[in-house]
Structures are given as C-alpha cells and as structure tokens.
C-alpha cells in the first residue's frame, strides 16, 4: 500500500487518550503500561509497523508480534484492517467527521473522546449519522451520542464491557467506545460517518474498518473552523 492503513495515537487506539485506565475489551486490553491489540490484521506479502514518539522525554518500549498462517477454512479473501484518526474543535452545529472511505468493506466500531467547552453535557446529545454507498440521504441516524455507545443519562459511571464501555468520565468530558460484532455495518462502494455537535467542544476519534483492499488513511486532520 502507498501509505499506512492504520494511523492513530496509541492511547486513543487502545480506548483512552490522556488518561490511561486498565480495562479489557474483545479487541484490546490495557493493564498498567501493557497494551495488547487483538484486532486481526491479515496481510498477503508483508506488514510494517512504525511508532512515532513525539514527546521530549526518552522512553523504552518492548514489542511482541504474533503471526500465524491464514486458516485453510477461512473462506474467501481476507479483509484488511483500517484505523483512522480524526480531530475537530468547533462550535455548535459543526459536525465531527469520523471517517469517509471508498471501497467495499465492513465498519467495525470506534473510540471517541469528547470534551465540552461549556459547562454542559448537551454535546453528548448529538446524533450519529451514517451514509452508505453514495446514497442521497443517510439511512442511519441515531438518537444521541451516548445512545450510540449503549449508554444513557450522561453515563452514570465508567464501565468496560467486551463490545462497549466508558473508560473515562470527568465534568463535561468522556471517553467511550463501541465495537460492532453481530451488528457490523457492511458497505459496497463507500462509507461515511459523522456526529452532530450540539455544543462547542472538541472531539477526537479512531474508527475501525475492514476493507477488501488496503487503503491509505489520513495521517492528520486539522480542526474545523
């Protein structure tokens, strides 16, 4: 592939951002300073991992990779793992773009960090909107950000479940994830997802998708005006 299929901050990729919280899901586990990724990542010829340390303090790290041949009974061509990071800070009415992709694949979930710029949780009421295959009107429009992540009443407490959870909650700030298993979203030609923004605030997300072909993703996204 000409560019990376995964480009995301390490912390947000593992369900957190500025706060490291030990927890386990069906696709990753965080235990202290140990991060374990459980997403299957098929490849045909080769795979390359690059980790950029953007801080000024030196650090040491150890890595372990587990590689196995594809099962003979897997059936069909394997799909390629894709993870894309987006960040936006804007006022009310400007959506947060989660991901926009061309090709055939399956949407598998996301991690989202939300920080309101005003003392209100109203930012969690924005609907998720999903548009499939260049349709003129989105067929999927949710009932609120917290509802999409299987929560309600502004998350009474943090929790970690195999397919959804809230890893951090502070006044007017939350970090949440939802992983799609039996309810994965297939698409044939394109996939777009965004969240409404009903109050000024910052949103940062990592979307997880499987595609029929390796696809380079955006390395950075500038803030919305």
């Amino acid at each position: 592939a000409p560019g990376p299929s995964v480009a995301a901050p390490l912390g947000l990729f593992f369900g957190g951002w500025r706060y490291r919280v030990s927890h386990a899901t069906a696709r990753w586990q965080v235990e202290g300073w140990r991060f374990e990724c459980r997403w299957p990542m098929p490849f045909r010829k080769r795979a390359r991992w690059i980790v950029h340390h953007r801080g000024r303090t030196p650090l040491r790290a150890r890595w372990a990779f587990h590689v196995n041949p594809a099962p003979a009974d897997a059936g069909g061509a394997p799909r390629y793992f894709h993870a894309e990071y987006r960040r936006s800070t804007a006022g009310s009415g400007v959506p947060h773009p989660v991901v926009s992709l061309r090709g055939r694949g399956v949407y598998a979930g996301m991690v989202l960090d939300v920080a309101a710029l005003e003392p209100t949780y109203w930012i969690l009421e924005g609907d998720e909107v999903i548009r499939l295959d260049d349709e003129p009107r989105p067929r999927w429009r949710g009932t609120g950000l917290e509802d999409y992540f299987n929560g309600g009443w502004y998350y009474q407490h943090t929790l970690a479940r195999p397919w959804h959870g809230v890893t951090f909650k502070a006044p007017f700030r939350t970090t949440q994830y939802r992983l799609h298993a039996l309810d994965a979203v297939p698409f044939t030609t394109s996939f777009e997802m965004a969240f409404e923004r009903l109050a000024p605030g910052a949103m940062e997300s990592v979307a997880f998708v499987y595609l029929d072909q390796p696809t380079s993703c955006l390395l950075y996204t500038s803030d919305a005006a």
Side-chain angles (χ1 to χ4, degrees):
S5 298
V6 176
L10 196 64
L12 201 61
F13 183 89
F14 283 96
W17 185 215
R18 295 170 178 84
Y19 307 95
R20 190 182 72 260
V21 179
S22 295
H23 66 285
T25 79
R27 294 299 183 220
W28 66 76
Q29 179 173 347
V30 178
E31 186 176 354
W33 285 104
R34 181 175 179 268
F35 301 84
E36 178 182 345
C37 177
R38 299 170 178 171
W39 288 102
M41 300 184 186
F43 60 94
R44 295 182 182 276
K45 298 179 180 179
R46 65 172 184 166
R48 182 172 63 178
W49 285 80
I50 299 174
V51 177
H52 293 280
H53 174 42
R54 302 185 184 280
R56 297 182 178 181
T57 304
L59 60 79
R60 291 185 297 174
R62 291 186 297 173
W63 300 87
F65 296 90
H66 301 275
V67 181
N68 297 301
D73 58 349
R79 288 193 169 105
Y80 294 88
F81 182 68
H82 183 95
E84 187 161 320
Y85 167 72
R86 296 287 183 91
R87 181 183 189 276
S88 67
T89 302
S92 178
V94 181
H96 170 70
V98 175
V99 69
S100 178
L101 292 168
R102 304 292 306 176
R104 178 190 295 268
V106 176
Y107 169 64
M110 68 175 302
V111 179
L112 178 67
D113 182 86
V114 178
L117 298 180
E118 296 178 350
T120 174
Y121 279 114
W122 189 247
I123 195 171
L124 297 182
E125 294 292 345
D127 299 341
E128 80 277 8
V129 178
I130 295 177
R131 187 189 303 269
L132 305 177
D133 302 331
D134 300 312
E135 58 191 358
R137 295 172 59 92
R139 73 180 67 187
W140 181 325
R141 188 181 186 92
T143 57
L145 187 153
E146 57 181 335
D147 297 338
Y148 169 77
F149 291 98
N150 294 325
W153 300 101
Y154 306 131
Y155 306 129
Q156 296 301 297
H157 50 76
T158 59
L159 60 91
R161 298 289 185 266
W163 304 107
H164 74 278
V166 181
T167 59
F168 180 79
K169 179 182 178 181
F172 319 118
R173 179 164 198 156
T174 58
T175 305
Q176 48 267 299
Y177 64 88
R178 177 176 173 181
L179 308 176
H180 293 258
L182 298 178
D183 59 346
V185 184
F187 54 92
T188 303
T189 59
S190 67
F191 179 87
E192 298 179 33
M193 182 175 183
F195 275 101
E196 283 185 310
R197 196 188 323 256
L198 298 185
M203 293 186 179
E204 298 182 70
S205 61
V206 175
F208 307 110
V209 183
Y210 281 92
L211 296 168
D212 282 1
Q213 299 294 329
T215 301
S216 302
C217 60
L218 296 175
L219 294 177
Y220 305 99
T221 299
S222 60
D223 288 348

